[in-house]
mmCIF file of all heavy atoms in Angstrom:
data_model
loop_
_atom_site.group_PDB
_atom_site.id
_atom_site.type_symbol
_atom_site.label_atom_id
_atom_site.label_comp_id
_atom_site.label_asym_id
_atom_site.label_seq_id
_atom_site.Cartn_x
_atom_site.Cartn_y
_atom_site.Cartn_z
ATOM 1 N N GLY J 105 -96.021 80.793 -7.042
ATOM 2 C CA GLY J 105 -96.329 79.776 -8.015
ATOM 3 C C GLY J 105 -95.112 78.749 -8.111
ATOM 4 O O GLY J 105 -95.405 77.580 -8.339
ATOM 5 N N ILE J 150 -108.842 71.865 -5.600
ATOM 6 C CA ILE J 150 -110.109 71.420 -5.038
ATOM 7 C C ILE J 150 -109.983 71.034 -3.577
ATOM 8 O O ILE J 150 -110.786 71.431 -2.733
ATOM 9 C CB ILE J 150 -110.652 70.178 -5.839
ATOM 10 C CG1 ILE J 150 -111.097 70.647 -7.216
ATOM 11 C CG2 ILE J 150 -111.836 69.566 -5.141
ATOM 12 C CD1 ILE J 150 -111.444 69.502 -8.157
ATOM 13 N N LEU J 161 -117.358 76.660 7.564
ATOM 14 C CA LEU J 161 -118.591 76.032 8.074
ATOM 15 C C LEU J 161 -118.479 75.777 9.575
ATOM 16 O O LEU J 161 -119.429 76.088 10.334
ATOM 17 C CB LEU J 161 -118.862 74.793 7.290
ATOM 18 C CG LEU J 161 -120.039 73.946 7.791
ATOM 19 C CD1 LEU J 161 -121.362 74.738 7.544
ATOM 20 C CD2 LEU J 161 -120.103 72.649 7.081
ATOM 21 N N GLN J 174 -130.159 86.177 24.876
ATOM 22 C CA GLN J 174 -130.665 87.467 25.467
ATOM 23 C C GLN J 174 -132.172 87.654 25.244
ATOM 24 O O GLN J 174 -132.856 88.110 26.203
ATOM 25 C CB GLN J 174 -129.950 88.614 24.903
ATOM 26 C CG GLN J 174 -128.462 88.806 25.256
ATOM 27 C CD GLN J 174 -127.804 89.921 24.594
ATOM 28 O OE1 GLN J 174 -128.391 90.679 23.874
ATOM 29 N NE2 GLN J 174 -126.517 90.058 24.887
ATOM 30 N N GLY J 208 -132.459 68.120 8.507
ATOM 31 C CA GLY J 208 -132.019 69.202 9.437
ATOM 32 C C GLY J 208 -133.131 70.126 9.926
ATOM 33 O O GLY J 208 -132.793 71.106 10.642
ATOM 34 N N LEU J 251 -120.461 62.696 22.716
ATOM 35 C CA LEU J 251 -119.709 63.347 21.675
ATOM 36 C C LEU J 251 -119.038 62.371 20.706
ATOM 37 O O LEU J 251 -118.034 62.630 20.085
ATOM 38 C CB LEU J 251 -118.580 64.217 22.273
ATOM 39 C CG LEU J 251 -119.024 65.247 23.287
ATOM 40 C CD1 LEU J 251 -117.860 65.857 24.111
ATOM 41 C CD2 LEU J 251 -119.782 66.389 22.564
ATOM 42 N N PHE J 268 -119.006 71.609 33.960
ATOM 43 C CA PHE J 268 -120.067 70.674 34.299
ATOM 44 C C PHE J 268 -119.589 69.687 35.433
ATOM 45 O O PHE J 268 -120.164 68.629 35.521
ATOM 46 C CB PHE J 268 -120.463 69.872 33.065
ATOM 47 C CG PHE J 268 -120.872 70.646 31.851
ATOM 48 C CD1 PHE J 268 -120.141 70.642 30.697
ATOM 49 C CD2 PHE J 268 -121.927 71.538 31.960
ATOM 50 C CE1 PHE J 268 -120.485 71.363 29.603
ATOM 51 C CE2 PHE J 268 -122.319 72.302 30.858
ATOM 52 C CZ PHE J 268 -121.586 72.210 29.663
ATOM 53 N N GLN J 298 -119.718 59.148 36.353
ATOM 54 C CA GLN J 298 -119.887 57.707 36.702
ATOM 55 C C GLN J 298 -119.630 56.779 35.507
ATOM 56 O O GLN J 298 -119.285 55.640 35.747
ATOM 57 C CB GLN J 298 -121.289 57.453 37.231
ATOM 58 C CG GLN J 298 -121.610 58.189 38.582
ATOM 59 C CD GLN J 298 -123.009 57.931 39.044
ATOM 60 O OE1 GLN J 298 -123.730 57.066 38.510
ATOM 61 N NE2 GLN J 298 -123.472 58.684 39.989
ATOM 62 N N GLY J 335 -102.363 47.607 24.267
ATOM 63 C CA GLY J 335 -101.171 48.539 24.239
ATOM 64 C C GLY J 335 -100.059 48.144 25.175
ATOM 65 O O GLY J 335 -98.965 48.759 25.075
ATOM 66 N N ARG J 342 -93.835 33.328 20.016
ATOM 67 C CA ARG J 342 -93.304 32.702 18.861
ATOM 68 C C ARG J 342 -92.642 31.412 19.279
ATOM 69 O O ARG J 342 -92.328 31.062 20.393
ATOM 70 C CB ARG J 342 -92.272 33.631 18.308
ATOM 71 C CG ARG J 342 -91.084 33.907 19.228
ATOM 72 C CD ARG J 342 -90.066 34.896 18.615
ATOM 73 N NE ARG J 342 -88.971 35.231 19.566
ATOM 74 C CZ ARG J 342 -87.875 34.437 19.727
ATOM 75 N NH1 ARG J 342 -87.675 33.365 18.968
ATOM 76 N NH2 ARG J 342 -86.992 34.786 20.521
#
Side-chain angles (χ1 to χ4, degrees):
I150 292 173
L161 176 64
Q174 290 177 4
L251 302 168
F268 305 117
Q298 297 179 11
R342 64 184 177 85

